[in-house]
């Protein structure tokens, strides 16, 4: 969860209309995603909201402050995503759900991941935070793999776990970008999310134990063909 | 090979000093990589070369023309890379070499791959060519996997080949970007290239046949440990 700000507390007591601060963050994120962060100013954001640049400025003094706030949103969502599901990885539907939400986050916050060069050169605080978050996610994936090995679902040699975790993270991180570049795709679709999950599954599939295959078979009718092939 | 231009023909007859056109392309590529294409002008390029903007303009009328020429370089190198090695994939050292050069190309031309948003919005010809090249590389990888399966080195179920190929391409394409974001790495190192190759190997390793393991063992002393683990 995003830490409750004064605005959000006000919102919950006053009614359903999103507060200006939240609307600024949402519109900024959409404009950054669509046009690239470098091409969007505080004035553009105000214009899109039908409010003055001064009103935007009242909430955020610089574009950097907007970006930092958006980054904090992403970070909070990634952490919430991780905390909610890690105990239930044996349930494949939970895992599927975790991955689906992961891909959606990558799409919703894609400018943060895509516009690397800007952070590295001009906004080093964002860059440092991005690196820290990347490392956090990596550790999460490693731990999840270890858990699945301990549960007897996967059998990955210990020394290979960081390598497999890195491949999973890279596919998760860049899948959406890849879909766009390969197909000139303008929007994320449920199909591309499902295909991304299939890509991730194919990385861990060869390491499934017989128990793992059994669990997958029980919870996921999609896998019948794969299991038949892998067991052959 | 890049199609020989008038400059290059002149160069081969006159001596070893690189011609202005080639120097423009090299400096432009380096500046685009370092600062982002959007932040570099023809004037900057001239300044770095110690020549006038007019002299740059004599060779390239627009920045878009520079980018297109750089893209043609990358395309030619990717194609040369593919043509040279595809028949020798059984020789693991050749495969290693192919991958190493692949990662180096990703690094040398990284702005082309990284600054997606610019091509999608403002330079759609570059974007279209990038998509076409991506598809070409993907088909090459699929064919290489099929060849390795036919040679009895890999055993990948037919329907999984496109999925495995896509994972290999994504790791190859984004590895350098990942290294930068994870470690704030400023330069590509031989170590990061070697690690990238390790990531790719771990994707195909589970599909190695006994023959494949034997060939790897013979040609690549690095794999002893992996083979021991995988055969266990």
């Amino acid at each position: 969860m995003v830490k409750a700000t004064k605005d959000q507390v006000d919102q919950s007591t006053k009614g359903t209309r999103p507060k200006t601060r939240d609307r600024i963050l949402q519109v900024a994120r959409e404009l950054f995603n669509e046009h690239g962060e470098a091409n969007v100013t505080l004035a553009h954001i105000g214009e899109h909201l039908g409010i003055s640049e001064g009103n935007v400025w009242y909430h955020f003094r610089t574009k950097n402050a907007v970006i930092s706030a958006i980054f904090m949103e992403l970070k909070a969502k990634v952490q919430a995503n991780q905390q909610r599901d890690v105990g239930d990885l044996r349930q494949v539907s939970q895992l599927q759900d975790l991955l689906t939400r992961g891909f959606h986050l990558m799409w919703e916050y894609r400018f943060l991941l895509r516009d690397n060069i800007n952070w590295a050169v001009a906004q080093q605080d964002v860059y440092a935070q991005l690196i820290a978050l990347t490392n956090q996610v990596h550790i999460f994936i490693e731990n999840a793999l270890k858990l699945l090995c301990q549960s007897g679902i996967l059998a990955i040699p210990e020394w290979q776990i960081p390598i497999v975790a890195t491949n999973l993270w890279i596919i998760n991180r860049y899948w959406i970008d890849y879909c766009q570049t390969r197909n000139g795709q303008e929007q994320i679709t449920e199909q591309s999310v499902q295909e991304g999950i299939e890509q991730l599954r194919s990385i861990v599939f060869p390491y499934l134990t017989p128990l793992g295959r059994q669990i997958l078979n029980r919870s996921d009718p999609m896998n019948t063909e794969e299991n038949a092939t892998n067991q052959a």
Side-chain angles (χ1 to χ4, degrees), chain A:
Chain A
M1 270 303 126
V2 179
K3 187 163 160 271
T5 61
K6 187 179 167 297
D7 278 347
Q8 283 168 327
V9 174
D10 288 353
Q11 194 184 329
S12 65
T13 51
K14 278 188 192 164
T16 54
R17 191 155 175 273
K19 280 285 163 184
T20 307
R21 187 179 184 280
D22 296 330
R23 286 165 63 216
I24 290 171
L25 290 180
Q26 192 191 331
V27 164
R29 184 166 57 72
E30 288 167 5
L31 292 174
F32 293 159
N33 279 339
E34 200 170 333
H35 304 289
E37 173 268 328
N39 301 314
V40 177
T41 64
L42 289 186
H44 290 135
I45 297 168
E47 206 178 295
H48 265 257
L49 280 166
I51 64 177
S52 71
E53 191 177 347
N55 198 348
V56 178
W57 187 81
Y58 172 80
H59 294 276
F60 298 99
R61 296 293 150 106
T62 62
K63 194 165 73 169
N64 204 4
V66 177
I67 295 165
S68 288
I70 294 175
F71 180 83
M72 294 312 288
E73 272 183 18
L74 171 63
K75 191 173 171 179
K77 285 182 185 174
V78 167
Q79 285 170 345
N81 209 7
Q82 291 181 359
Q83 267 151 33
R84 221 168 78 182
D85 298 293
V86 72
D88 285 324
L89 281 178
R90 285 184 66 126
Q91 290 177 274
V92 177
S93 64
Q94 286 271 6
L95 184 57
Q96 186 103 354
D97 193 38
L98 178 72
L99 296 173
T100 305
R101 270 182 288 129
F103 282 120
H104 278 286
L105 283 182
M106 295 292 149
W107 174 253
E108 285 162 19
Y109 292 86
R110 64 192 177 283
F111 87 93
L112 273 176
L113 304 161
R114 183 191 59 207
D115 299 354
N116 261 334
I117 186 79
N118 299 338
W119 324 135
V121 174
Q123 304 194 5
Q124 298 186 358
D125 55 329
V126 176
Y127 195 56
Q129 290 189 64
L130 205 59
I131 292 172
L133 189 63
T134 298
N135 278 309
Q136 240 175 56
V137 174
H138 187 87
I139 290 165
F140 170 75
I141 298 174
E142 270 194 37
N143 287 337
L145 288 177
K146 280 177 196 162
L147 199 72
L148 289 164
C149 287
Q150 282 161 16
S151 312
I153 290 170
L154 293 179
I156 307 177
E158 179 90 23
W159 68 273
Q160 267 195 333
I161 286 181
I163 298 175
V164 174
T166 298
N167 280 338
L168 289 172
W169 165 240
I170 291 176
I171 303 297
N172 182 251
R173 159 75 179 79
Y174 295 103
W175 174 248
I176 299 301
D177 193 89
Y178 165 80
C179 288
Q180 286 195 288
T181 316
R182 183 148 191 223
N183 310 316
Q185 204 169 298
E186 297 282 318
Q187 281 201 310
I188 192 179
T189 62
E190 272 318 304
Q191 198 200 333
S192 53
V193 168
Q194 286 310 313
E195 284 170 6
I197 291 172
E198 201 56 52
Q199 294 299 132
L200 294 175
R201 293 210 305 203
S202 90
I203 288 178
V204 292
F205 238 90
Y207 301 104
L208 278 176
T209 61
L211 172 65
R213 290 205 192 99
Q214 222 181 339
I215 290 175
L216 266 192
N217 257 340
R218 227 181 18 239
S219 2
D220 188 354
M222 273 175 68
N223 283 300
T224 318
E225 188 197 351
E226 289 165 351
N227 283 316
T229 317
N230 278 348
Q231 276 165 341

